[in-house]
């Protein structure tokens, strides 16, 4: 396919997945029939290149389901669908007294990308006056969301926020969580999987893994999604480098945008305080000298989880490492993930025996993580490696199409695009990478 044809196809994917009536975009048909939080952020960046109205509607639709305490849920169930499990009747977000009154949602969140997405929209869309007006109308909601994170998800007040569910990390079935599952013994729930009717089950989490996922939600539901209770009781309580990097990058973007808007000295001051504390603690607590990478911290069991994932490189995007740390992290990326055998960047350490190149977040390449890595490497002037990440992303899309994830092995003979097809953020970020 020529570049022009690919651009056209990417726009068709996004337009077909956009729900005109409700103003949001599904990640892909069948598999994910609702609005997902961080998907929407990346999708808005794609729309910004050719349809500013849709970009803005996407963000507004997500924010319309914000809870009264600032919390932003991971899924908004704008519509009914029987193609997905677990749906709104399982999550029952209304158990929380401050949940959205107008929308059914989940009671968990996802990596907080909206702050830097607003900044991206400002940079991309030509009409700066109109875009800044849109940002003015919405920025306080994003600020309130950050406030919720720092107030309710940081029990030690150390500047790092926790997640209580693997779905909050975005990296759903990463091998990172295996050791946490080993501390749990949930019931064998009876439920009907829907994802495996759309996608080859070998590319999706196992049924037993779903027991863990559902059990964590049941614990939260038993306490009406109360953050303090979850912090006290959830067997899964993790400080995730990806989630915290997105928050830190979004803090920085909010500071810049408030400065552009003017008149918000108090919020800028608060953001700067969060930022200084967060970056210092991140470098202290999540950097692992031995592995030469940032890692996850298991707050429930008080220890680092010593594995390298594509999340380990996201601090580059947020400008967190100093020059020396950045060099170490980039050396690890090159030597372990960037060998001749693999496209960049596998979602899990290819040298580990937990690596699986076909299974969702246990090895495959994801375009959004590549986009974060590309931008991060550019921030640290690693132009050649950044170009390699971009070229590899383009090659995979050109060879296989707009899949949800891709096999990182270069010698795969068959189709190496896996999961959902016509996947929105792959299309959206392809459009952005072309212009970056
Ligand atoms: C899923 O259902 O696999 C989703 O990624 C959860 O957010």
């Amino acid at each position: 396919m020529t570049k022009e044809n690919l651009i056209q196809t990417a726009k068709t994917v996004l337009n077909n997945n956009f729900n005109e009536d409700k103003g949001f975009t599904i990640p892909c048909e069948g598999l994910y029939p609702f609005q997902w939080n961080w998907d929407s952020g990346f999708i808005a960046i794609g729309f910004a290149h050719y349809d500013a109205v849709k970009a803005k509607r996407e963000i507004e639709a997500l924010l319309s389901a914000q809870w009264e305490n600032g919390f932003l849920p991971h899924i908004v169930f704008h519509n009914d669908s029987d193609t997905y499990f677990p749906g709104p009747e399982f999550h029952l977000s209304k158990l929380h007294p401050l949940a959205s009154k107008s929308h059914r949602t989940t009671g968990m969140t996802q990596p907080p990308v909206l702050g830097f997405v607003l900044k991206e929209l400002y940079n991309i869309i030509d009409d700066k006056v109109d875009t800044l007006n849109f940002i003015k109308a919405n920025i306080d909601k994003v600020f309130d969301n950050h406030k919720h994170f720092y107030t309710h998800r940081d029990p030690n007040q150390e500047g790092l926020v926790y997640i209580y569910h693997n779905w909050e990390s975005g990296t759903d079935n990463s091998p990172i969580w295996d050791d946490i599952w080993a501390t749990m013994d949930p019931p064998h729930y009876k439920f009907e999987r829907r994802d495996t009717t759309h996608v080859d089950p070998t590319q999706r989490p196992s049924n037993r893994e779903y027991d863990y996922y559902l059990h964590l939600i049941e614990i939260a539901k038993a306490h009406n999604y109360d953050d303090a209770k979850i912090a006290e009781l959830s067997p899964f309580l993790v400080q995730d480098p990806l989630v915290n990097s997105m928050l830190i990058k979004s803090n920085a973007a909010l500071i810049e945008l408030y400065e552009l808007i003017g008149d918000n000295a108090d919020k800028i001051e608060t953001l700067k305080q969060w930022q200084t504390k967060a970056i210092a603690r991140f470098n202290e607590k999540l950097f692992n000298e031995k592995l030469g990478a940032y890692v996850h911290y298991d707050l429930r069991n008080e220890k680092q989880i010593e594995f390298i994932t594509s999340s380990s490189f996201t601090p580059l995007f947020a400008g967190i490492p100093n020059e020396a740390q950045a060099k170490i992290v980039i050396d690890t990326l090159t030597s372990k993930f960037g060998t001749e055998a693999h496209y960049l960047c596998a979602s899990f350490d290819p040298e580990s025996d937990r690596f699986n190149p076909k299974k969702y977040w246990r090895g495959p390449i994801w375009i959004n993580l590549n986009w974060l890595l590309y931008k991060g490497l550019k921030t640290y002037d690693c132009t050649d490696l950044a170009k390699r990440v971009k070229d590899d992303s383009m090659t995979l899309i050109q060879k296989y199409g707009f899949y949800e994830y891709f096999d990182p092995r270069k010698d795969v003979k068959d189709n190496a695009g896996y999961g959902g097809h016509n996947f929105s953020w792959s299309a959206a970020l392809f459009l952005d990478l072309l212009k970056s």
Side-chain angles (χ1 to χ4, degrees), residues 160-175:
L160 296 178
V161 302
Y162 72 73
I163 52 172
Y164 79 86
H165 197 287
N166 52 303
W167 283 340
E168 293 197 311
S169 70
T171 61
D172 300 2
N173 70 335
S174 174

Side-chain angles (χ1 to χ4, degrees), residues 32 36 74-75 84-86 110 167 172 195 204 210 360:
Y32 305 117
W36 261 259
H74 111 287
I75 303 177
Y84 181 83
F85 173 81
Q110 258 185 335
W167 283 340
D172 300 2
D195 54 325
R204 295 285 303 175
Y210 262 71
Y360 208 36

Side-chain angles (χ1 to χ4, degrees), residues 115-127:
F116 72 78
V117 168
L118 287 182
K119 183 77 200 317
E120 290 286 334
L121 298 198
Y122 184 75
N123 293 344
I124 297 166
I125 298 170
D126 285 336
D127 188 340

